[in-house]
Amino acid sequence: MEHPLLTTYRFRVQPLLAAIYPPDKIEELLETIFAKLQPLLRNSADEDVNKWSQDDVLLITYGNSLIQEGQVPLQTLGQFLDRFLQTVITGVHILPFFPYTSDDGFAVSDYRTVRPALGDWGDIEAIAQNFKLMVDLVINHVSSEHEWFQQFKAGQAPGKAYFIALDPHTDVSQVVRPRSSPLLAPVETNSGTQYVWSTFSHDQHDVNFANPEVLLEYLDILLLYIQKGARLIRLDAIAYLWKELGTPCIHLPQTHALVRLLRELIQLIDPGMAILTETNVPNRENLSYFGSRNEAHMIYNFSLPPLLLNALIQGKSDHLKTWMMSMPPAPVGCAYLNFTASHDGIGVRPAEGLLSPAEFQQLITCMQQFGGAISLRRHPDGSESPYELNISFYDALQGTVKGKDHWQQDRFLCAQTLMMSLEGIPAFYIHSLLATPNDYEGMARTQHNRSINRRQWNMEDLEPLLADPRSIPAMVLGELSRRIKIRRRQGAFHPNATQYTLHPMNRAIFAFWRQSIPRDQSIFCIFNLSARSQQLNLSALNLVVTDPWCDLISGQCVQDIYDVLHLKPYQCVWLSNQFSDAHVDQP
């Protein structure tokens, strides 16, 4: 009996396959892919444009960011989530938890198993029962120890046809590089030395998606993750997926077609699932992965971290405001993923063209003064330039361009509150929630810059800190949790609610307006980006005279809409005309 979605499937998928592969491959691919999908298909493929609400908040963490003697880390993570974050977050992005050989998990040697040192699939599924689970599909490359690459070296099928080997004298100067290592890695094989395309490192060899068998392999992996409870799929390093000599080999049309293809396949399985593309590139290029609302459901707001960091160390809103005014609303059924910190450094390429050269250099210098490192990338002419800032986001805000001061915690809370106020879904790195400082020991041990922000907390050390209300981790986690809970109750903070940039005359103040759908709640989000007290004339906001107004964060209500709002250093205000819960959870 023919499946009711077969016609829909062919109509949606055939043109995408035809944009990627030769005509003589399409029919066989259609049949093979449908056979893989059929056991998971539902009877309707109607798009779900209401996948999220203001209630959605994500955590980003490694499976072993928290460790405890006598327990596998994934169980420790699950207990921490249940104890401290059950009412705070709704989803968890567990960074690659598979066997690997380098890059803290992103050189995967086996996609189908959980690294035994972390736990097993049962531990992953237990977390997925209580939180929306995001899983990485590390789709651009595999570890040099992966079975496919071992087959390539031995000249055995199927892996021998899964990689790209070139003459070492091939001109690859046009290829855009995110790293400074040579693109072609020399590899000893049974047929001699071969030079293999390796975008990120010589332990991470790019797979060849021009071979449709590679697509089928990754489809099997994706279906496994879905069966294990994944609701969100992060496509790692997706921009570099398709290779074509004579081009930059980034953002090629076939890459975009493959993203559309994966979106359609997931849509047919479960319209409530979503794809997130990881493309740490300049803003305009990043936005292209929304497509015509037919590619990624979510894209990272990659420009936000460097611009927000710059705004707070400079004490002025100019570039942040210019960027926000240029950002289009996310298409229907799509959303931005907002964050300030992640397992990677703070990418500075997304700030290209948004900061002046002088301020860009000042940002670099300031982060070095605060104990950070700078990672470089190589250009086609052999020159190098900053690629990312490697520093804990908490320590990145220990001062301003004037030097260190005593406002670090307030400045950091301002950054996190501003981030979670923006259009989109907020995501908090676990080390932001815990105000983790720079991990110099980890950096020295691994000799990798990114380790500075990848500390493993031993619960024997962390629990006493969280039990002490005077400790920095306890204060930051407590106050951020309080603000997140308030945020989750506000319709005006829906990921797709209206956002409008405001223009106070004071450059130290950043302000914007959010309005719910339907238009029953307005929130004016106001932030003092400086270490000095500031004033804002409320008359500039045009508050509706018939509505009462109250700050959801402090609980302070406006008595006169023509009064002056006095802002303490780094104070955040959520001025709302609906505040039945403004008295709840106040400090």
Side-chain angles (χ1 to χ4, degrees), residues 33 62 67 157 300 364:
I33 293 173
Y62 277 104
I67 56 176
Y300 284 98
I364 299 292

Side-chain angles (χ1 to χ4, degrees), residues 74 94 97 114 120-129 133 228:
L74 285 171
I94 306 178
F97 43 81
V114 176
D120 56 30
W121 278 117
D123 300 317
I124 295 291
E125 290 174 295
I127 292 173
Q129 288 178 358
L133 176 65
K228 296 297 184 181

Side-chain angles (χ1 to χ4, degrees), residues 154-168:
Q156 298 173 351
K160 67 177 182 180
Y162 283 7
F163 300 90
I164 302 170
L166 299 175
D167 184 293

